[in-house]
């Protein structure tokens, strides 16, 4: 679990409950922070450097288009601070798998910005921190909706829509999810571009699917507020079918969703960009252990999370 502390800045990982991809096109999405994420500290140093110890990564900022993404993302963040600021060493610890649809890059970006803010005495609201993280996210994702950075900074469960205030959602009952990472990393940029190409070719068909997903989001919010997990699970299943129709699912994701449903989950779907990465299954106290067991032979990693938990 990620814990706060003096000068430790947090970025939450997240799951998208409903609404991925549609959110890129201005529709609402329902997302929840999870109790896994990134934390960062910063201190003055003789030059700028970013280290991510669990990945054995150490980069200096660079604007060279051929430089590693992390070096360019670090440079994009630092460029937002005044010239002549002290140079900094930023150290990040991360618990999330990368490229899995759990908002790993945004969690790191938000924690890095938080650590720099704390060290330089910059005070800003979480949503402003999320906005600042867009420059970081663009390096990895091209055209991010901003949902990952917003959840990384703000936490909780919320309906996110581009350009609108974040709407907090209060669950009537705790929402327990089993997250299965299939072990196939996926590229959010590639999956977002694939949907864009399909939409160029068949705008009406794709927009109908995106509108269908938006309707699921509105109903999902009501189900969460009513504590109706059976209804929410059905919405997960419907959303998975719509996402599959956009060719975002994989055999592995389908197998994991099927296994979770057969083991008693209320519903299951891919989460995030798809094309690999993670699925989420909504479970109750009785189905959590059977679903974990059913996923064990299929998943590379399994996480048991409470949606919206700090
Ligand atoms: O970064 P991921 O894999 O969690 O996916 C983000 C969700 C998308 O809707 C696919 C893209 C976006 O920017 O909203």
């Amino acid at each position: 679990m990620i814990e706060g502390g003096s000068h430790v800045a947090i970025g939450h990982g997240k799951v998208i409950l409903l609404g991925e991809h549609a959110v890129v096109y201005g529709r609402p999405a329902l997302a929840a922070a999870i109790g896994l994420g990134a934390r960062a500290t910063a201190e003055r140093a003789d030059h700028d450097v970013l280290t991510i110890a669990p990945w054995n990564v150490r980069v200096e900022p660079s604007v060279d288009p051929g430089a590693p993404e992390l070096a360019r993302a670090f440079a994009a963040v630092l460029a937002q601070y005044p010239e002549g600021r002290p140079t900094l060493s930023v150290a990040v610890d991360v618990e999330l798998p990368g490229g899995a649809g759990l908002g790993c890059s945004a969690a790191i970006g938000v924690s890095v910005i938080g650590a720099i803010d704390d060290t330089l005495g910059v005070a800003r609201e979480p949503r402003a921190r999320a906005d600042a993280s867009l420059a970081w996210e663009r390096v990895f994702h091209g055209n991010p909706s901003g949902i990952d950075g917003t959840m990384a900074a703000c936490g909780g469960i919320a309906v996110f829509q581009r350009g609108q205030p974040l709407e907090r959602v209060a669950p009537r009952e705790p929402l327990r999810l089993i997250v299965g990472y299939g072990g196939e990393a996926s590229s959010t940029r590639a999956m977002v571009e694939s949907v864009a190409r399909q939409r160029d070719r068949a705008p009406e068909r794709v927009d109908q699917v995106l509108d269908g997903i938006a309707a699921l989001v509105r109903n999902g919010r009501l189900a969460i507020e009513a504590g109706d997990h059976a209804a929410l699970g059905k919405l997960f299943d419907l959303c998975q079918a719509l996402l599959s129709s956009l060719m975002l699912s994989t055999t592995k994701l389908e197998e994991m969703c099927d296994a979770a449903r057969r083991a008693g989950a209320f519903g299951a779907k891919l989460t995030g960009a798809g094309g690999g990465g993670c699925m989420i299954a909504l479970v109750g106290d009785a189905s959590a252990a059977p679903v974990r067991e059913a996923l064990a032979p299929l998943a590379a990693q399994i996480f048991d999370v409470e949606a919206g938990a700090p």
Side-chain angles (χ1 to χ4, degrees), residues 14 16 20-21 23-24 101 103 141 143-145 147-148 188 192 272-273:
K14 65 93 197 46
I16 297 183
E20 46 274 273
H21 288 283
V23 69
V24 174
H141 294 335
N143 176 27
S145 64
I147 190 169
D148 286 15
T188 300
V192 168

Side-chain angles (χ1 to χ4, degrees), residues 2 4 7 18 34 55 59 102 127-128 141 178 207 211 239 265 268:
I2 295 287
H7 303 294
L18 294 164
I34 56 176
W55 297 351
V59 292
L102 298 181
R127 194 74 202 256
H141 294 335
I178 306 293
D207 280 342
D211 287 340
C239 190

Side-chain angles (χ1 to χ4, degrees), residues 15-17 34 36 102 175-182 236 253 256-257 259-261 263-271 277-296 299 301-307:
V15 289
I16 297 183
L17 299 170
I34 56 176
L36 300 165
L102 298 181
L175 279 182
R176 191 165 172 192
L177 301 168
I178 306 293
V179 182
Y181 174 47
F236 275 24
L253 287 166
M256 290 195 293
C257 288
R261 290 181 196 121
F266 292 113
K269 63 182 279 291
L270 69 83
T271 187
C278 288
M279 56 76 72
I280 50 173
L282 182 64
V283 296
D285 288 341
S287 56
V291 168
R292 263 202 316 268
E293 271 168 40
L295 289 175
Q301 272 177 288
I302 297 173
F303 306 96
D304 199 330
V305 304
E306 187 184 327

Side-chain angles (χ1 to χ4, degrees), residues 245-258:
S245 79
L246 295 174
M247 294 186 288
L248 296 165
S249 195
T250 64
T251 306
K252 172 71 83 180
L253 287 166
E254 293 296 334
E255 282 172 359
M256 290 195 293
C257 288
D258 285 349

Side-chain angles (χ1 to χ4, degrees), residues 62-76:
S62 171
V63 292
D64 180 344
E69 286 179 330
L70 269 172
R72 286 185 283 130
F74 189 34

Side-chain angles (χ1 to χ4, degrees), residues 109-196:
V110 163
S111 72
V112 166
I113 291 165
I116 297 173
D117 281 0
D118 288 348
T119 306
L120 299 184
V122 177
R124 50 182 152 183
E125 294 297 312
R127 194 74 202 256
R129 216 167 252 185
D131 291 344
S133 74
L134 268 177
W136 167 283
E137 278 291 274
R138 271 192 206 105
V139 173
F140 299 98
H141 294 335
N143 176 27
S145 64
I147 190 169
D148 286 15
T150 302
M151 297 313 297
C154 300
I157 302 178
V159 173
F160 171 92
Q161 191 166 4
R162 260 185 163 161
Q164 301 290 326
L166 192 67
E167 290 178 28
R168 295 260 174 214
V169 176
R172 175 134 180 205
E173 304 288 340
L175 279 182
R176 191 165 172 192
L177 301 168
I178 306 293
V179 182
Y181 174 47
E184 314 161 314
S186 91
S187 156
T188 300
R189 181 195 288 268
M191 302 320 288
V192 168
E193 284 173 1
S194 156
V195 173

